[in-house]
Amino acid sequence: MDRLTKDDVHPKILQKLLEDTDITVEDALENEMILNMGPQHPATHGVLRLLLRLDGETVIGCVPDVGYLHRGYEKMAENMSYYEFIPHTDRLDYISPMANNVAWVLAVEKLAGIEVPVRAQYIRMMIAELARIASHLVAIGSFAMDVGALTVLLWTFREREKILDIWDILCGARFTNSYTRIGGVANDAQPEALAKAKWFVDQLDGNLAECERLLNTNRIFIERLDGIGVISKEDALSYGYTGPNLRASGVEFDLRRATPYLQYDKVDFKIPTFTEGDCLARYFVRADEVRESAKIIRQVLQLMPQGEIKANLPKSVLPQKVEVYSKMEELIHDFMIVNFGINPPVGEVYHAIEGSKGELGFYLVSKGEGHPWKCKIRSPSFIHIQSLPHLVKGRMISDIVAIIGSIDPVMGEADK
Amino acid sequence: MELKELISQKLKDNFPQAELDFSEFRNEFNVKFNKKFVNPICKFLREDSELEFLLCEDVTAVDWAKRKNRFTVVYHIFSLKHNFRLVLKADVDESDCAIDTVSSVWKTSNWQERETYDMYGIKFNNHPDLRRIYMPEEFEYYPLRKEFPLLGIPGSLPLPKK
Amino acid sequence: MGLEAKLRGDGFFVTKLDAVVAWARKNSVYPMPMGISCCAIEMMAAADPKYDIARFGSEVMRFTPRQCDLMIVAGTVTYKMSHVVKKIYDQMPDPKWVIAMGACTSSGGMYRSYSVVQGIDQFLPVDIYVGGCPPRPDNLLNALIQIQDKIGRTRARDFQNLKLPELNVIQNN
């Protein structure tokens, strides 16, 4: 490594270095320290940088610095058609990839006014709930690992591998699978995949209870989390919380009930709510939501009708490959849709779903062309990280790790 | 239906000079107004006991790439009491690229406005901490404006030496 | 690295000593997971009970660079993050190897935009590129086996006290 010269240092920092002429401290009792909990850290769930002002071990102030994974999604969306953006939505919240696909195609279908057949809606519900279970398993596992219980991470990852196997059979990819299409889903759900999903939810309860036996009555776990990172109901709403974090503070708000989309009004599920608003409450909400999602999947597997899986609109929905290679009209439609995109009417639309971290929304502005004029991604992790300074004030450094784990941010979503 | 009429009636009564304009698309209710009334209208919508728009979901801007009123700042707010979403819009001209902040009404709009400033260059008056959030501090351009190329401007972001 | 580096030539004793040292080095590669985005999840999946990475000797994933010899860069590297990656690479002691995991680190991947570095070989010397978005855990284990083969072919005289650019040339042939 070459020695740093004057040109490598930023001019503002250089000026500060030249001004600071002695190493003495004015006040003998001044013992504040600025610590950088850098972007590369085992406990920050991705590339999040925190600048901490510490008095010994107590945190006085905290400034989060995001943007280390800013990949320019919104600018790229303005330059590619609605179909081409579907693989990109996978990489947003990369722990529950199917849910982002569902959110994007729902927003585009709302803009273009496309009706989706019922079987496709049920399949989308099933994969969205499987994505929620996968995400909560990782959240519980890594949260427990941050606090000190290393075994739970390996057990929850073992359960998650079973979900990835189901997705592998369903669409060919274990992870970042772009399974949904505008107007339906890519291919029909095989009976093998559905049988495996049923087997999975039946044995999930036992394995989850095994993990909970290690944690729920563990004195170290409870003392490490009880009363830490408390946020009140009014503050939570003011800071824009949605999802499990809001439900742990006492507000019973779930987008699947408030503005139902897909077929969520036909299935029956509870909304777990706790009132304390601390880290332990957020953990309990997630554990209960896994069970509620398993209940939803059981009902979906019973209610799923036979039928088509793609809407029958030749100008907007990609036709089947078999027909593209044999018939003329489908070939022309395929060519037009892939090259010029579907052309929704002029207008703007905002559609949000209840993702596993909170409310994931897409705001689309269309000027009648094949690509959006503007796309804004409302990501819940970005909003939740904003409230970190409020939560960690007065706490110790080891509590910061527990608080970040309980908020459960994913930097791919927060940095877009 | 009555909720939309209730909102439009209340806004027309309390802010007659705000040049209100109501429209609807795909079952979403949009309200457009003069940008000087952003703070009073948002405060009213949040504190009114019948409406209670407590959750601010999104603050963003749209670049129309035309000479007059180039940007539109868009707010999405949600009322948990009625399960209703409202879209507020305010036009901002490029020559006077500033609008009042609403971070005193909803704390969540702090970072959302910082992101809008970083991406579009729209300044927010009285914002507690207006600086860039995604791009590095020394970056000189505004990426989401329509004249910024997708591949970026070579040399604008430094890379470490091999 | 001190005594055996002084031994030059290709006699029986030196080559056997080289083979033993290389065998020990390759079967205990400690990876430093530079997990940035989605590929990090597949790297964690390579460490879970189904695709055990511990059976290849990479028992611990140390998060401190001072104790590792293999850096797995997993995830999209942006311009803002590239300085951090380079700093951590510089903090690792020699000998060190780099795996560029996934499409984003090999060539920028599906992100042709203003803030993504189009391939980390613009500022880091890379040994193995793993394709895939994200690569399956089996793919990552294949890359680890190839790195182990590469380490098995090294000789002690490669790691003498050379200036840095020459060391880069020898390590990356």
Side-chain angles (χ1 to χ4, degrees), chain A residues 370-398:
Chain A
H371 58 91
W373 183 256
K374 174 188 166 76
C375 159
K376 165 97 186 356
I377 305 168
R378 191 259 185 209
S379 60
S381 304
F382 182 64
I383 312 279
H384 295 161
I385 294 179
Q386 179 183 353
S387 65
L388 265 182
H390 173 82
L391 288 172
V392 305
K393 208 180 252 250
R395 295 267 149 226
M396 299 201 277
I397 297 186
S398 38

Side-chain angles (χ1 to χ4, degrees), chain A residues 68 70-71 73 91 161 176, chain C residues 48 78 111 113-115 133:
Chain A
Y68 285 91
H70 177 67
R71 300 179 267 202
Y73 270 110
R91 276 98 180 145
E161 286 290 329
T176 62
Chain C
D48 74 8
T78 57
Y111 299 106
S113 77
Y114 52 88
S115 64
C133 192

Side-chain angles (χ1 to χ4, degrees), chain A residues 145-295:
Chain A
M145 182 179 77
D146 287 341
V147 175
L150 292 161
T151 317
V152 181
L153 175 76
L154 293 171
W155 285 355
T156 53
F157 261 77
R158 184 192 60 190
E159 294 303 309
R160 187 163 179 266
E161 286 290 329
K162 296 173 188 159
I163 299 185
L164 295 185
D165 274 343
I166 298 177
W167 286 342
D168 202 355
I169 301 176
L170 200 56
C171 58
R174 318 167 2 120
F175 188 58
T176 62
N177 25 23
S178 320
Y179 178 53
T180 55
R181 300 281 183 269
I182 299 174
V185 287
N187 54 282
D188 203 354
Q190 301 87 346
E192 212 180 22
L194 296 175
K196 194 148 190 185
K198 183 146 186 15
W199 165 80
F200 171 71
V201 293
D202 283 338
Q203 54 99 55
L204 176 67
D205 207 22
N207 289 339
L208 192 64
E210 210 177 39
C211 298
E212 284 189 329
R213 249 202 317 269
L214 277 184
L215 295 176
N216 281 10
T217 44
N218 189 337
R219 187 183 169 135
I220 299 179
F221 189 73
I222 296 199
E223 284 207 6
R224 190 102 197 246
L225 301 178
D226 195 23
I228 307 284
V230 178
I231 190 160
S232 66
K233 201 156 124 172
E234 293 78 28
D235 273 338
L237 279 172
S238 180
Y239 272 111
Y241 273 27
T242 44
N245 296 335
L246 184 62
R247 291 196 274 279
S249 292
V251 181
E252 197 177 325
F253 173 60
D254 190 330
L255 273 174
R256 297 173 285 179
R257 277 277 153 79
T259 55
Y261 53 95
L262 292 176
Q263 304 271 343
Y264 275 109
D265 36 5
K266 305 253 182 346
V267 293
D268 170 48
F269 59 98
K270 281 203 317 272
I271 303 176
T273 314
F274 286 77
T275 49
E276 291 90 11
D278 58 1
C279 295
L280 199 59
R282 291 191 271 267
Y283 158 73
F284 280 135
V285 165
R286 289 199 169 92
D288 282 345
E289 280 196 0
V290 170
R291 297 202 159 89
E292 295 299 319
S293 289
K295 214 159 85 176

Side-chain angles (χ1 to χ4, degrees), chain A residues 2 8 10 63-67 70 74-76 78-79 110-113 235 237-242 251 253 255 257-259 345-352 359 363 365 367 373-374 376 378 382-383 385-386 414-416, chain B residues 25-28 30 46 54-65 74 76 78 80 83-85 87 89 105-112 114-115 119-120 131 133-135 137-138 143-150 161:
Chain A
D2 297 329
D8 294 323
H10 190 254
V63 175
D65 187 14
V66 296
H70 177 67
E74 300 177 347
K75 187 97 188 164
M76 280 196 298
E78 294 172 9
N79 286 300
K110 185 174 175 185
L111 180 63
D235 273 338
L237 279 172
S238 180
Y239 272 111
Y241 273 27
T242 44
V251 181
F253 173 60
L255 273 174
R257 277 277 153 79
T259 55
V346 176
E348 310 161 356
V349 82
Y350 176 82
H351 186 83
E359 174 189 330
Y363 173 60
V365 176
K367 269 195 171 179
W373 183 256
K374 174 188 166 76
K376 165 97 186 356
R378 191 259 185 209
F382 182 64
I383 312 279
I385 294 179
Q386 179 183 353
D415 283 346
K416 297 197 269 284
Chain B
F25 179 71
R26 297 270 188 256
N27 215 14
E28 282 185 2
N30 303 346
R46 177 165 180 257
L54 292 176
L55 185 65
C56 171
E57 285 175 341
D58 203 13
V59 176
T60 181
V62 186
D63 180 1
W64 294 109
V74 181
H76 295 273
F78 193 84
L80 276 81
N83 286 336
F84 183 74
R85 190 174 285 137
V87 184
K89 294 186 194 168
V105 183
W106 296 289
K107 292 199 201 107
T108 179
S109 47
N110 194 329
W111 271 26
Q112 307 261 36
R114 268 179 73 185
E115 187 200 339
M119 293 283 126
Y120 286 99
R131 56 193 164 94
I133 192 168
Y134 280 150
M135 308 306 294
E137 296 275 338
E138 316 76 68
L144 273 179
R145 286 196 176 184
K146 288 288 175 181
E147 75 261 7
F148 187 78
L150 174 62
K161 294 192 275 285

